[in-house]
Amino acid sequence: MNYTYYPGCSLEASADSYDKSLKSVFSDLGLGLSEIVDWNCCGATAYMSVKETVSLAISARNLALAEKAGLDIVAPCSACYTVLAKTHKIMAEKSQLFDHVNSALSQVGLSYNLGCRVRHPLDVLVNDVGIEAIAQKAKVSLKGLKIAQYYGCQIVRPYATFDDAENPVTMDKLFEALGAESVYYPNKVRCCGGMLMFTFADVALKLTDELLRCAQENGADVILTTCPMCQANLDMHMDELQQSYGHSYTIPTLFFTELLGVAMGSSISQMGIDKHLVPLAANVAKLLETKI
Amino acid sequence: MAPKTVQQLDDRKPGMVTRKESELRLEFLNQVMDIPGGEKINRCIQCGTCSGSCPVSYAMDVQPRELIALFRAGLIEKILQSRSIWICASCYQCTSRCPSSIKVTDIIYALKRIAMERKIYPDKFPVYALSAKFVDNVNRYGRNFELGLMMQFYLKTDLMRLFRMAPMGFKLMKLGRISIAPKRIRALEDIRKIIAKADTFAVPRETHKKEYIEGMIGYRAVDGEVPDSGGVQR
Ligand code: SF4
Ligand code: SF4
């Protein structure tokens, strides 16, 4: 199976390991990814806050470029995923905006005719490949690993396309099939604060504090995430959390593709897990290095 | 003109709003009607599910439910002066749980756009600057430049935090998780052309049915007619 790939800006910088691990997992499973040539920023939440039609038009440029290939687009960043899906949906539902966006795109010889399906890699892995098929290829057993499965907000909201908006389970099932245990984690779809970490740090720190505490108290060894923003917020602010709340956390937050990659035989460093600020505990690292 | 105080806004005669308020109202409705399902805003039952579900409502001066109550009361200017719309993290929890299918998150986006357009901001609260810088970045490079965005934003708003974050920044840099230079896309000219054309379609514009606007506005302007609307007279 082949897909068009939209990495998004974070995967080029802070979430580089998400990009690498995703590509590695996809190629191990025989899935093709071809990156959209010269893609641009989707606009994230910020562009929508300033100009509506413009933000839809720049986001639609990516859809227009992807449409030519006629394949589903894989967008790993939750924000990109939602923004691209939303652009498609708004254009499908509001004919006036469809016309306006296409009129803007026609300036550079492009058009978007609603021919793309925007997919999250978790959806592709679980629904196109299948949990069984993935489990058969596993080279490392995750038995004994306790995971807090953190989905965050934008992959299930506002469009709950492949999983439930309040209690998603696809990631739980995937890693349980590989031997891991999902701990009780009622915060699985709670917001990490996103961009508030820049603008209103106190609020975002409180949210990340709750997410980390819940995971640590429930005995998780790692938190798994599907979003670069969540990973950054949960990984990078330990010093500030110590200063603000006096709480110290030792729980690392990994991209789900990193752990999947390790389970399929790649090393911890190949998957970029050593690039996170919070390191894996020694016993966890040992478990992940033990091949079946 | 100095912005009206809340007291002045609250002192109006019933059924009347200031000219500026009716302009904001028209603009707001135009923006909201552009959202698929936006017209459902008039179905709000004030149940408070949105406020109760919002992970950051505790930090808001106006709760999500109150945003809609203030809109109904003809106090849009007061909403725009609140911090709330800028505290919203766009997590869509309110939207996904609203029993009346109101697109609360998209309504907040619409409010942010009007605030940016009209330059009506909460006092001493430069958060909106992040959105402005982000847009700037995308227009300039075609992609977001994380490091540049953060630096520009903190230089403008919170120098202290820049210093506090510096040690973390260096650690990330050592790990290769920060790119030092922006990545420009090749088709920058294309992006600029698309933006320029799309910008000509900016709201407010006369797009929606006049009767609809009339039904939704239901207020008279006190100091003069609102241009072009025709709909503000009851
Ligand atoms: S949840 Fe919906 S109906 Fe209830 S107060 Fe909020 S917007 Fe209104
Ligand atoms: S989208 Fe905004 S207002 Fe709605 S629940 Fe999330 S943070 Fe609160």
Side-chain angles (χ1 to χ4, degrees):
Chain A
M1 275 169 285
N2 292 312
Y3 301 88
T4 300
Y5 182 42
Y6 178 81
C9 305
S10 300
L11 274 78
E12 286 201 313
S14 59
D16 178 54
S17 58
Y18 195 6
D19 178 68
K20 291 221 171 69
S21 55
L22 175 74
K23 284 178 177 157
S24 151
V25 167
F26 268 54
S27 93
D28 285 353
L29 292 168
L31 305 173
L33 277 182
S34 50
E35 187 168 325
I36 301 177
V37 177
D38 213 30
W39 54 270
N40 58 269
C41 169
C42 71
T45 52
Y47 220 118
M48 200 32 122
S49 311
V50 181
K51 299 230 155 116
E52 185 194 32
T53 316
V54 180
S55 95
L56 292 172
I58 59 165
S59 155
R61 175 176 175 268
N62 299 307
L63 297 175
L65 292 173
E67 192 175 35
K68 293 179 188 167
L71 302 169
D72 289 356
I73 307 184
V74 170
C77 165
S78 299
C80 301
Y81 169 75
T82 289
V83 169
L84 295 176
K86 188 168 167 178
T87 305
H88 173 93
K89 197 160 163 81
I90 292 183
M91 286 179 73
E93 290 179 9
K94 286 272 166 177
S95 60
Q96 188 183 37
L97 284 170
F98 178 89
D99 294 343
H100 287 168
V101 168
N102 269 319
S103 148
L105 291 176
S106 70
Q107 299 295 305
V108 296
L110 291 174
S111 69
Y112 179 57
N113 297 301
L114 306 174
C116 277
R117 199 148 71 107
V118 183
R119 311 273 308 272
H120 193 270
L122 180 59
D123 172 19
V124 169
L125 291 171
V126 170
N127 294 315
D128 293 7
V129 182
I131 292 175
E132 285 284 289
I134 295 174
Q136 275 167 11
K137 296 214 170 176
K139 299 209 171 63
V140 170
S141 162
L142 300 183
K143 201 158 172 39
L145 186 69
K146 292 183 173 173
I147 304 177
Q149 311 277 5
Y150 177 54
Y151 296 76
C153 48
Q154 296 194 342
I155 74 163
V156 284
R157 293 194 300 266
Y159 313 121
T161 48
F162 65 94
D163 211 334
D164 189 72
E166 297 287 344
N167 185 23
V169 293
T170 37
M171 197 157 63
D172 298 53
K173 286 197 180 140
L174 174 59
F175 286 94
E176 281 161 14
L178 298 169
E181 178 191 335
S182 307
V183 302
Y184 173 65
Y185 197 54
N187 282 348
K188 53 166 54 168
V189 293
R190 210 175 148 81
C191 174
C192 74
M195 294 285 270
L196 291 183
M197 195 53 94
F198 302 111
T199 53
F200 212 67
D202 303 358
V203 175
L205 282 173
K206 182 167 180 291
L207 297 181
T208 50
D209 183 63
E210 283 165 9
L211 293 172
L212 289 164
R213 196 173 61 222
C214 180
Q216 194 145 307
E217 282 177 359
N218 285 314
D221 298 313
V222 296
I223 299 176
L224 282 194
T225 171
T226 59
C227 170
M229 203 73 217
C230 299
Q231 203 283 333
N233 282 352
L234 292 175
D235 183 39
M236 296 181 183
H237 300 276
M238 296 306 177
D239 296 343
E240 284 185 280
L241 286 171
Q242 176 70 45
Q243 285 160 18
S244 305
Y245 297 100
H247 295 164
S248 61
Y249 297 105
T250 52
I251 186 162
T253 303
L254 313 185
F255 291 112
F256 79 104
T257 46
E258 293 174 343
L259 186 61
L260 194 55
V262 169
M264 294 177 61
S266 300
S267 72
I268 288 175
S269 65
Q270 277 169 340
M271 292 297 94
I273 297 176
D274 53 354
K275 285 191 173 182
H276 302 327
L277 294 186
V278 181
L280 289 177
N283 62 328
V284 175
K286 192 155 163 262
L287 187 146
L288 296 184
E289 276 160 357
T290 316
K291 300 253 156 81
I292 297 174
Chain B
M1 200 175 72
K4 292 232 171 5
T5 61
V6 171
Q7 190 54 43
Q8 280 170 308
L9 287 171
D10 286 345
D11 279 349
R12 311 159 323 211
K13 290 198 191 94
M16 296 206 165
V17 294
T18 59
R19 181 194 165 93
K20 187 175 179 192
E21 180 67 27
S22 18
E23 279 172 12
L24 291 175
R25 201 169 173 81
L26 191 62
E27 194 171 332
F28 176 70
L29 284 168
N30 268 324
Q31 292 271 7
V32 169
M33 294 313 144
D34 247 7
I35 305 165
E39 69 287 346
K40 292 189 187 140
I41 188 172
N42 60 3
R43 292 201 207 156
C44 173
I45 53 171
Q46 289 288 299
C47 65
T49 303
C50 47
S51 308
S53 303
C54 175
V56 294
S57 60
Y58 78 92
M60 290 180 169
D61 47 354
V62 172
Q63 300 288 305
R65 176 189 62 81
E66 291 171 329
L67 293 176
I68 297 187
L70 286 172
F71 149 71
R72 284 181 174 167
L75 291 169
I76 296 202
E77 190 166 2
K78 192 169 158 185
I79 309 178
L80 297 177
Q81 286 164 355
S82 79
R83 297 170 163 220
S84 302
I85 55 177
W86 299 105
I87 294 179
C88 168
S90 307
C91 76
Y92 293 93
Q93 190 62 273
C94 48
T95 304
S96 121
R97 288 189 184 162
C98 173
S100 307
S101 322
I102 293 167
K103 312 272 177 165
V104 186
T105 316
D106 291 327
I107 289 170
I108 294 175
Y109 275 129
L111 289 161
K112 288 185 197 172
R113 291 195 290 269
I114 300 170
M116 294 292 279
E117 178 93 1
R118 301 272 177 150
K119 300 196 172 20
I120 301 175
Y121 304 126
D123 282 347
K124 302 199 191 76
F125 195 67
V127 165
Y128 61 86
L130 186 75
S131 295
K133 294 276 178 221
F134 188 101
V135 166
D136 221 45
N137 248 304
V138 175
N139 293 354
R140 195 173 315 170
Y141 307 120
R143 291 192 189 162
N144 175 31
F145 173 34
E146 290 175 340
L147 178 67
L149 178 70
M150 270 171 62
M151 299 284 265
Q152 285 175 354
F153 177 69
Y154 287 135
L155 284 175
K156 192 175 152 109
T157 59
D158 188 353
L159 213 51
M160 285 316 293
R161 187 128 197 276
L162 188 60
F163 289 122
R164 270 204 294 156
M165 306 253 289
M168 190 249 313
F170 287 122
K171 274 192 238 165
L172 287 176
M173 216 171 268
K174 247 203 249 152
L175 291 166
R177 289 183 64 185
I178 291 188
S179 62
I180 317 286
K183 294 214 167 71
R184 275 167 223 269
I185 70 165
R186 265 169 288 138
L188 258 185
E189 253 331 289
D190 285 11
I191 295 281
R192 295 199 179 124
K193 280 186 201 154
I194 293 173
I195 292 174
K197 181 70 183 181
D199 216 8
T200 62
F201 300 115
V203 278
R205 49 181 186 254
E206 285 300 305
T207 53
H208 303 290
K209 283 198 209 89
K210 198 172 132 197
E211 320 83 74
Y212 198 83
I213 297 283
E214 255 172 32
M216 292 288 282
I217 288 190
Y219 290 93
R220 219 171 329 152
V222 279
D223 36 13
E225 296 267 317
V226 173
D228 302 326
S229 72
V232 266
Q233 300 292 341
R234 259 205 291 207

